């Protein structure tokens, strides 16, 4: 499937960011043809993901440490990259 996260050029960047101490978020969003896949659905999905990252900075991330938002990289392929920048 060409839209699967395993089939993106950005996936190959993840190990490098992790090795440098960054958390990586590759946000999934609704696409055209899916329920809610037109505006504002995809933008809402990205906003919800960013809100979730914020909540992880306020609480434990499962390892007893809060997420440092200054060390987070948002990645996306094609439209996902555009949505990550918004």
């Amino acid at each position: 499937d060409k839209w699967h996260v395993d089939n993106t050029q950005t996936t190959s960047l993840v190990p490098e960011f992790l090795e440098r101490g960054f958390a990586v978020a590759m946000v999934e969003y609704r696409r055209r043809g899916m329920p809610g896949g037109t505006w504002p659905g995809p933008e809402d999905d990205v906003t919800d993901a960013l809100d979730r990252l914020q909540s992880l900075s306020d609480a434990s991330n499962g390892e007893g440490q809060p997420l440092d938002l200054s060390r987070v990289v948002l990645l996306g392929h094609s439209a996902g990259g555009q949505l990550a920048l918004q």
Side-chain angles (χ1 to χ4, degrees):
D1 179 352
K2 72 177 186 174
W3 296 114
H4 193 275
V5 71
D6 290 338
N7 193 28
T8 67
Q9 297 168 344
T10 54
T11 304
S12 64
L13 300 172
V14 173
E16 183 69 25
F17 284 118
L18 294 176
E19 288 174 15
R20 293 174 182 253
F22 288 91
V24 178
M26 295 183 70
V27 178
E28 188 59 45
Y29 59 92
R30 291 170 282 182
R31 291 171 177 76
R32 184 170 298 180
M34 300 171 86
T38 58
W39 185 87
E43 290 86 352
D44 289 344
D45 295 340
V46 173
T47 299
D48 290 345
L50 295 175
D51 289 344
R52 178 66 178 133
L53 290 174
Q54 179 65 49
S55 74
L56 289 173
S57 73
D58 297 333
S60 173
N61 65 12
E63 296 181 19
Q65 300 174 10
L67 180 64
D68 179 358
L69 293 178
S70 71
R71 305 284 300 170
V72 174
V73 175
L74 299 177
L75 291 178
H77 176 73
S78 191
Q82 295 294 323
L83 289 168
L85 292 173
Q86 292 183 6

